[in-house]
Amino acid sequence: VRFVVFQELPDENTGDAYVFHRDTQGRGDVVIARQSDGRWLFTAETVAALPDLVRALEHRAAVAGATEVPFHMAPSLWLRQRIPASLRATTFLLEHWQWIGLLVLTLAGIVCDRLLVGLIALVARLWLRRKAVTLDAATLSRGARPFGLLAMALVWRLGDVILALPLQAHNVLLVAVNFVVAAAGVWGAYRLVDVVAEGMAQRASRTTTKFDDLLVPLLRKTAKVFIAAMGLVFVAETMEMSISSLLAGLGLGGLAFALAAQDTLKNLFGSLTVVVDRPFQVGDWVVIDGGVEGTVEEV
């Protein structure tokens, strides 16, 4: 174990790799090599060997003059130094303290999920009560559920930094957390539309005009379609999927999609015509083509 003396590092822009430390037991060497773009960086083999080198040297005393690792610089190293040696042993894939940490992290995520869902539902109920709007507990819980999942995923992401999982486990957890965060955000916005629309519908029912009763369901469905479309793009971007290839596929299938969606487009423009011209309103009794009649409940 020794200090890095920067004056000993070569200044040349070319040349062979610089071996800073050669491990006599074959656990890995610390090597700096010139990259194709001209930068001098630690080699991939050096980075991959770092966990083994840290474990091999952790029982040695620090070099005279070196300070203890501060928590804000490396939380995982700071925590690992305080873990008993018996828990730093590896039996299956991870060290014992990391398995325990994953269990605690899972429980902490579930607790945060339940607490946040209950808190959001309570705050929303009190706020809606001031607006003279009453929603059942099930609707509020469904609206708050995605935000609980979002909090759970963020707790797991924070725990990944503290536990210092191996690269493979870190990558798996990171992909799962990113997917949950993206999906929960989109789902939360989707459910929020239901809560807002339900409140708007109750307020619209207390007005004398029927135009707002017609408009609220239309706005709810429009917002949901928009959120679903944008959500798919957002989740795909978060998962680092190729959006350009997806759009190219939609372009090739655009003609078939347009032919299949004729009735949907007719309904869309028909709804806009009803909203603009107002030939009837919600609650009116109508007769269609002389054979179908009934009360308008929703457009």
Side-chain angles (χ1 to χ4, degrees), residues 44-59:
E45 294 77 13
T46 297
V47 175
L50 284 179
D52 293 334
L53 289 173
V54 170
R55 294 186 182 93
L57 301 175
E58 63 184 358
H59 64 280

Side-chain angles (χ1 to χ4, degrees), residues 188-264:
Y190 193 85
R191 288 300 186 190
L192 190 61
V193 171
D194 285 330
V195 175
V196 174
E198 185 68 24
M200 293 174 60
Q202 289 191 21
R203 300 191 67 174
S205 64
R206 294 195 291 267
T207 61
T208 57
T209 177
K210 296 295 183 181
F211 178 71
D212 48 6
D213 296 320
L214 180 147
L215 195 59
V216 169
L218 188 62
L219 292 177
R220 178 197 300 219
K221 293 180 179 179
T222 303
K224 283 189 171 183
V225 171
F226 178 78
I227 290 173
M230 294 298 99
L232 288 176
V233 176
F234 178 66
V235 172
E237 284 283 359
T238 303
M239 302 303 294
E240 298 182 356
M241 300 174 62
S242 177
I243 301 298
S244 58
S245 60
L246 177 62
L247 294 178
L250 291 177
L252 294 176
L255 178 60
F257 177 78
L259 293 175
Q262 288 186 56
D263 291 339
T264 301

Side-chain angles (χ1 to χ4, degrees), residues 5-299:
V5 181
F6 292 99
Q7 289 77 7
E8 296 180 358
L9 299 178
D11 297 327
E12 291 80 5
N13 294 327
T14 60
D16 298 332
Y18 173 70
V19 180
F20 174 76
H21 172 76
R22 189 176 299 280
D23 188 75
T24 57
Q25 299 184 18
R27 288 170 298 222
D29 301 331
V30 179
V31 181
I32 304 173
R34 188 173 185 270
Q35 309 300 309
S36 57
D37 58 1
R39 295 182 300 164
W40 287 80
L41 302 175
F42 290 106
T43 62
E45 294 77 13
T46 297
V47 175
L50 284 179
D52 293 334
L53 289 173
V54 170
R55 294 186 182 93
L57 301 175
E58 63 184 358
H59 64 280
R60 298 188 185 182
V63 175
T67 57
E68 187 179 7
V69 177
F71 176 78
H72 69 273
M73 291 184 60
S76 58
L77 291 178
W78 182 90
L79 178 62
R80 196 172 185 277
Q81 288 179 352
R82 286 153 178 79
I83 297 295
S86 58
L87 294 180
R88 293 202 295 263
T90 302
T91 302
F92 178 70
L93 298 179
L94 303 177
E95 296 180 357
H96 297 163
W97 73 277
Q98 290 175 323
W99 284 114
I100 297 174
L102 286 176
L103 176 60
V104 173
L105 197 61
T106 302
L107 295 177
I110 294 174
V111 170
C112 287
D113 173 26
R114 301 297 173 85
L115 289 178
L116 187 61
V117 169
L119 180 62
I120 292 177
L122 176 61
V123 173
R125 189 180 298 111
L126 294 176
W127 183 78
L128 291 173
R129 187 177 300 171
R130 293 176 54 188
K131 300 294 183 180
V133 176
T134 303
L135 296 182
D136 59 282
T139 301
L140 291 176
S141 296
R142 286 196 301 269
R145 173 106 299 247
F147 298 100
L149 292 178
L150 184 62
M152 181 188 297
L154 294 178
V155 169
W156 290 347
R157 185 68 184 90
L158 177 63
D160 176 49
V161 176
I162 297 176
L163 294 179
L165 298 175
L167 183 60
Q168 294 81 357
H170 165 77
N171 290 339
V172 172
L173 181 60
L174 187 61
V175 170
V177 168
N178 288 342
F179 176 78
V180 171
V181 169
V186 175
W187 187 20
Y190 193 85
R191 288 300 186 190
L192 190 61
V193 171
D194 285 330
V195 175
V196 174
E198 185 68 24
M200 293 174 60
Q202 289 191 21
R203 300 191 67 174
S205 64
R206 294 195 291 267
T207 61
T208 57
T209 177
K210 296 295 183 181
F211 178 71
D212 48 6
D213 296 320
L214 180 147
L215 195 59
V216 169
L218 188 62
L219 292 177
R220 178 197 300 219
K221 293 180 179 179
T222 303
K224 283 189 171 183
V225 171
F226 178 78
I227 290 173
M230 294 298 99
L232 288 176
V233 176
F234 178 66
V235 172
E237 284 283 359
T238 303
M239 302 303 294
E240 298 182 356
M241 300 174 62
S242 177
I243 301 298
S244 58
S245 60
L246 177 62
L247 294 178
L250 291 177
L252 294 176
L255 178 60
F257 177 78
L259 293 175
Q262 288 186 56
D263 291 339
T264 301
L265 293 175
K266 290 178 182 178
N267 291 334
L268 172 62
F269 289 109
S271 300
L272 295 177
T273 302
V274 170
V275 171
V276 174
D277 295 341
R278 303 187 198 179
F280 53 81
Q281 296 181 352
V282 173
D284 290 349
W285 183 272
V286 298
V287 179
I288 303 174
D289 293 336
V292 179
E293 58 181 295
T295 301
V296 177
E297 296 183 355
E298 185 181 82
V299 177

